[in-house]
Every structure is written in C-alpha cells, then in structure tokens.
Amino acid sequence: MRFYENPYISPKEEEQIKKGAEIIRNGGVVAFPTETVYGLGANAFDENAVKKIFELKGRPQDNPLIIHIAKKEDVFLVAREVPKNAEILIEKFWPGPLTLVLPKNPSVPDIVTANLDTVAVRMPNHKIALKLIELSGVPISAPSANISGKPSATKPEHVKKYFGDKVFIIEGEVKIGIESTVIDLTVSPPIILRPGGISKEMIEKEVGGVDVLAHSDVKVAKSPGVKYKHYAPDSDVYLFMNRKDILRFLESERSNFSDKKVLVALFKYVGEEGEKIKLMGFDIVVSGRTLEDFAKNLFNLLIVAGEKYDVIIFEGVEERGIGLGIMNRLKKASKKVFY
Ligand code: TXA
Ligand code: MG
C-alpha cells in the first residue's frame, strides 16, 4: 500500500518551502500539507514555538502533539527506545499515515507531549512536508491545522478560514483526507488510539493482534462534552447506517426541517432513495464513490457544507479498512448517531 509520489518540487513550491523553513528556524509557526491533513508546525525542540501552536488553535494543554521527522533514523531524536514491533511498522509503513507512540526521549520539551513520558512520532509521505522538515533541520511538531474542536483542514483555504493571515501557508495537495492512525506501542498488546490511513488489518498482518481504543467506538454520541468535542462543523450532523432510516427520519422531521437548509450525503450513488429525498426538497451530495474518495472529501464537506447548511445527514459506511477511520470522525462530528 505504500507509495512514493513524484518527488519533483516546482520552483514555486520550493520558494514557499524555503520561506516556511526559515520561519520554523526562527521560532514561528507554518501550515503545511501532509498526505493526511494540513499540519500546523513548529520546531519540536523550541518550547516557545510550540506554545504558539497551542495558542493559535486554542488547544487544551493536556493534548499532546505529533512530531514529524524526515528520516526514519531520526526517530531516535525524539524516542528513548524503539521496540521490535515499532521497527517492523516503521520499515513497512514509513513514510506514511502511521503515528507511533513510543517512550519519550528527555530531549523533547514537556509541552509537546503534555507532560507524558511517551511521544508520538511519524514520517509523513509528502514531498513538501519532508522537504520542509529537512530544510528546517529540526523535527516539526504539528497538530492538524484547525481551531481546536473544528474539522481538520485538508486545503489551504480551510487553513486560511481558520487562521487568516496569522500563519504562513505552504500550498499543496492532501491525498488521504483523514488523520494518521495513532498506535501506542508502549503497551502490550499495542492499542490503536485513533484509526486512520493505515488500517487495523494492515497492522495486524505485520505485528499480530492489536486493540482499538474503546471510546472511539461509542455507539451513541449525544451532545458530546466540550472536552471530547471534535470535528464539529457549524451545522448539526446526524449519522445513519442505512438509507431507509434516513428517509424515515426526514419524513418524521419534515415540519422541523421546513425552515432549515438540509444536505443529505449518500455514499457511492444517489439511487432510488436519493431521488425520493430530492423530491422531498432536500439537497443531495455523493460523499464519495469509494471509501478512499469519501475519506478525501470528508473534512471539506464538513467545512464547506457546514457554512451553508443547518443540518447535514450522512449515510455511514462499513467499519473496515479506512472505513473505521471515516466512521470514527463522523461519530465525533455527529450530534446523534442512529443505528
Ligand atoms: O495525520 C496526522 O496525524 C496529522 C498530520 C498533521 O500529521 N496530525 C494530527 O495531529 O492529526 P493532532 O494533534 O490533530 O492529533 C494527534 C493525536 C491526538 O489525538 C493526540 O492526543 C494524540 O495524537 N497523541 C499525541 N501524542 C500522544 C501521546 N504521547 N500519547 C497518546 N496520544 C498522543
Ligand atoms: Mg486534530
């Protein structure tokens, strides 16, 4: 599944990367594309620079950041120890959308790891991200480039919407669309803390059984507490597992929704039910033709449709492969999940 993209960097890209690297070296913050989502990066070894990331995002201090490196062996700059299973996963999936939680090297400032004795690290598979880290000459700590609690940015214009002119943005394309898989290798069996681009199935093939964090699997998320609020767009999101239930819901809510702008996002095709929904006067969009497509569109849909619609209704997908990551984000974005 690992791919290497065309490494050609255009003169315009190079100019932006150079400027970004200079900002990072001078203790500033830069938004840059990775293969998963946009990151908001700073020198991981510069406490003050990292502090700026937390301030810009309004991120709680107890939520640690991922450190991005450009060479596999640089894992030792931030981790104290690299266990055998980590080595196997690094060989197989780096560069790529897999973040490893490892014992922390004392050289990493506590602000990055929120005082934990573990550190999260990954090598992104994106020519711009890799070149930026290389030219900066330091590992870059970067959360997703969104205001805390909002959907992650996958395009330069999303970053601009969130931060205006407060951060320099390197333009580039995001390929996957949802954040990396985060796996904690300091426990046995390892546990997936956040599903993403590298699936549980792919990991288990390499290192055997792994657990998945239970609360990423909540069946019904009502109004999530502020602390756990995630990916929340400006509209009410509802998640359904099948189309018949969407139709029934729309029928029962018809009077409530009469003065609301409602968008229904169906997976793969519009179909018969989709046509019926249109006749009822609601807007329809296809969330994606494939799971990969859906993942890539997801945050753009939440951000862009979030500006226009009061209500967004999603048809869910099977929780397999990247589908697990998609459903994890959708559940967290939803006001209510209907099973
Ligand atoms: O794809 C991605 O991972 C993107 C791009 C920019 O690389 N980054 C990203 O970062 O999604 P962020 O901060 O939005 O999410 C990082 C996740 C959080 O859930 C955080 O709690 C977890 O990783 N994390 C970071 N360090 C950790 C640690 N030491 N132990 C456990 N979880 C950790
Ligand atoms: Mg995030």
Side-chain angles (χ1 to χ4, degrees):
M1 259 299 282
R2 182 172 51 170
F3 65 92
Y4 287 97
E5 61 174 346
N6 183 345
Y8 174 72
I9 290 177
S10 72
K12 185 186 162 204
E13 286 170 337
E14 180 150 6
E15 197 184 305
Q16 291 193 350
I17 297 168
K18 278 187 177 153
K19 182 168 173 196
E22 197 185 320
I23 294 172
I24 300 264
R25 282 196 304 271
N26 290 327
V29 174
V30 172
F32 63 100
T34 79
E35 80 279 38
T36 56
V37 297
Y38 254 83
L40 195 62
N43 176 355
F45 290 132
D46 181 338
E47 213 176 306
N48 282 323
V50 174
K51 203 164 154 223
K52 290 178 192 161
I53 298 177
F54 281 91
E55 283 166 4
L56 277 163
K57 284 196 61 147
R59 182 174 176 110
Q61 292 282 344
D62 64 356
N63 196 357
L65 308 181
I66 295 171
I67 299 184
H68 299 69
I69 56 175
K71 289 196 299 272
K72 289 178 183 175
E73 57 269 32
D74 283 355
V75 67
F76 292 103
L77 295 177
V78 300
R80 197 173 63 234
E81 212 180 294
V82 179
K84 185 72 196 161
N85 52 8
E87 216 176 279
I88 293 169
L89 294 175
I90 287 171
E91 267 323 299
K92 184 74 189 179
F93 298 116
W94 281 8
L98 181 67
T99 296
L100 307 180
V101 173
L102 299 170
K104 171 183 175 295
N105 187 315
S107 60
V108 176
D110 288 330
I111 184 173
V112 175
T113 59
N115 292 311
L116 296 174
D117 57 5
T118 57
V119 66
V121 55
R122 83 178 187 101
M123 177 180 172
N125 185 15
H126 195 291
K127 62 181 181 186
I128 292 178
L130 291 171
K131 190 84 188 168
L132 176 70
I133 302 164
E134 200 185 303
L135 291 186
S136 301
V138 288
I140 294 182
S141 55
S144 50
N146 52 277
I147 302 290
S148 200
K150 292 284 171 196
S152 303
T154 55
K155 292 170 187 267
E157 54 265 36
H158 302 156
V159 183
K160 187 103 185 164
K161 172 183 148 95
Y162 289 135
F163 302 107
D165 293 324
K166 282 190 274 186
V167 291
F168 176 65
I169 304 170
I170 303 178
E171 283 159 38
E173 206 202 331
V174 155
K175 295 217 165 61
I176 296 174
I178 62 172
E179 304 89 338
S180 62
T181 303
V182 178
I183 184 165
D184 186 349
L185 296 172
T186 66
V187 291
S188 182
I191 178 163
I192 293 179
L193 301 176
R194 180 177 71 186
I198 303 291
S199 68
K200 177 175 190 270
E201 296 86 337
M202 289 158 81
I203 293 171
E204 287 189 324
K205 225 176 119 191
E206 304 305 321
V207 296
V210 299
D211 285 340
V212 179
L213 186 67
H215 79 69
S216 65
D217 200 23
V218 273
K219 292 281 184 248
V220 178
K222 293 197 182 87
S223 276
V226 175
K227 185 153 190 228
Y228 302 107
K229 201 170 148 190
H230 257 93
Y231 313 117
D234 304 327
S235 23
D236 289 340
V237 174
Y238 297 101
L239 174 60
F240 286 83
M241 283 320 294
N242 71 68
R243 292 181 172 202
K244 291 213 166 54
D245 288 344
I246 295 180
L247 264 176
R248 238 173 288 164
F249 178 71
L250 288 171
E251 267 153 18
S252 70
E253 295 295 313
R254 219 168 182 164
S255 56
N256 283 334
F257 285 169
S258 63
D259 59 342
K260 295 212 161 92
K261 290 213 58 127
V262 178
L263 178 69
V264 181
L266 298 174
F267 181 53
K268 271 192 186 157
Y269 60 95
V270 173
E272 207 181 301
E273 290 95 349
E275 296 302 337
K276 279 190 193 151
I277 292 168
K278 272 193 214 164
L279 285 176
M280 293 172 81
F282 301 113
D283 287 352
I284 291 274
V285 68
V286 173
S287 54
R289 302 262 168 212
T290 61
L291 287 177
E292 283 69 29
D293 220 16
F294 191 173
K296 191 168 173 176
N297 295 338
L298 176 58
F299 288 131
N300 185 55
L301 194 56
L302 285 174
I303 293 170
V304 176
E307 284 176 353
K308 192 170 159 204
Y309 290 94
D310 305 303
V311 176
I312 309 174
I313 294 171
F314 278 95
E315 176 182 28
V317 294
E318 210 186 331
E319 290 177 273
R320 233 172 1 101
I322 201 167
L324 186 64
I326 294 171
M327 287 298 283
N328 167 275
R329 308 312 186 269
L330 281 176
K331 285 175 189 173
K332 290 190 177 176
S334 295
K335 194 171 170 184
K336 194 159 184 212
V337 182
F338 297 81
Y339 270 85

